[in-house]
Amino acid sequence: MERLKYHTVYLSGAIDNASHEQATGWRKEITPFLQDLGMFVIDPTQKCIDGFNEDEEFFKHKSKLKKTGRYKELHDLGKPIRKFDLHSVDISSFLIVYLDLDVQHCGTWNEIFICDANRSPCLIVCKQGVQNLSDWLFFTFPSEFFFNSFEYLKKYIRGIHDGSIQNSPRWWFINYEKILPTQLTPPIPKGDTK
């Protein structure tokens, strides 16, 4: 059973107020694990649309706009990025969120509560431990969605994927193989038994 195959997961967590390593490190580490299970991963630090490149130069430019009071330009620069990120939450089957409570989050909270409005699973790893999460998150999501480490998160995802963990009502599993066009699988030439 491969219940999460072809599903999309969005990786949510601090970017603006995080160091480059804080923003990208955990995402780079977990992406191969998710892809090995057959999932599509949307990493907001690696925009998958043309015209966006949130590299070091982008962050310097954004910071300069803010420091010099060019707020309208900052708004115009960031509006399509916010739109893309929130649309990515909408189209994802579930979110993985990394919360470091020592780093200020803003967009992450927006993404978490849109995920909730969509009634999608929101899997949260808290650097400081689950016991330090806001009560509001416990009021919002089942506690089975909270993790003290990425290792526990990976065990949970494997269990959801292979069916060994009974899922919460927020999980929906679409058998994409039943709806994918047959053109995605190359035809086997006649006489080839492979």
Side-chain angles (χ1 to χ4, degrees):
M1 188 179 299
E2 296 180 309
R3 297 193 299 183
L4 294 175
K5 189 173 183 181
Y6 301 126
H7 283 68
T8 301
V9 55
Y10 180 81
L11 306 180
S12 178
I15 298 174
D16 279 356
N17 298 301
S19 71
H20 180 73
E21 179 56 32
Q22 287 173 316
T24 61
W26 72 270
R27 289 175 167 102
K28 286 178 183 175
E29 187 177 315
I30 199 160
T31 294
F33 164 78
L34 299 165
Q35 290 173 333
D36 286 347
L37 296 178
M39 288 180 251
F40 298 107
V41 179
I42 301 177
D43 175 349
T45 67
Q46 302 290 320
K47 293 288 188 267
C48 56
I49 54 172
D50 293 335
F52 292 99
N53 189 10
E54 289 186 79
D55 58 12
E56 192 172 334
E57 288 302 313
F58 171 84
F59 282 97
K60 285 179 184 175
H61 179 63
K62 189 174 62 148
S63 179
K64 183 178 179 182
L65 292 176
K66 197 172 190 179
K67 286 178 183 173
T68 58
R70 294 159 59 192
Y71 303 129
K72 168 80 169 86
E73 290 177 65
L74 181 61
H75 171 78
D76 292 343
L77 178 71
K79 188 174 180 180
I81 292 169
R82 180 178 183 270
K83 181 178 179 181
F84 171 79
D85 288 354
L86 297 182
H87 176 68
S88 297
V89 172
D90 282 338
I91 65 171
S92 294
S93 302
F94 67 103
L95 262 61
I96 293 176
V97 180
Y98 179 56
L99 287 180
D100 179 345
L101 302 178
D102 293 332
V103 177
Q104 180 184 357
H105 296 263
C106 186
T108 304
W109 294 116
N110 198 180
E111 293 162 356
I112 287 170
F113 292 111
I114 286 177
C115 181
D116 176 51
N118 293 341
R119 306 304 297 156
S120 298
C122 186
L123 309 180
I124 299 174
V125 176
C126 183
K127 179 180 178 180
Q128 288 78 8
V130 170
Q131 72 278 8
N132 291 302
L133 288 173
S134 165
D135 292 350
W136 196 259
L137 289 173
F138 284 96
F139 301 161
T140 306
F141 298 107
S143 61
E144 68 198 54
F145 289 173
F146 304 143
F147 306 90
N148 289 317
S149 72
F150 282 101
E151 287 312 306
Y152 287 119
L153 169 75
K154 288 177 182 179
K155 287 178 186 176
Y156 177 80
I157 290 173
R158 275 191 204 101
I160 289 293
H161 184 64
D162 67 22
S164 63
I165 292 179
Q166 295 304 310
N167 53 291
S168 110
R170 285 186 181 242
W171 286 102
W172 287 87
F173 306 106
I174 298 170
N175 184 343
Y176 285 102
E177 292 181 348
K178 288 186 176 182
I179 59 174
L180 287 174
T182 56
Q183 294 87 344
L184 292 178
T185 306
I188 299 172
K190 289 182 181 181
D192 192 347
T193 58
K194 292 184 182 178

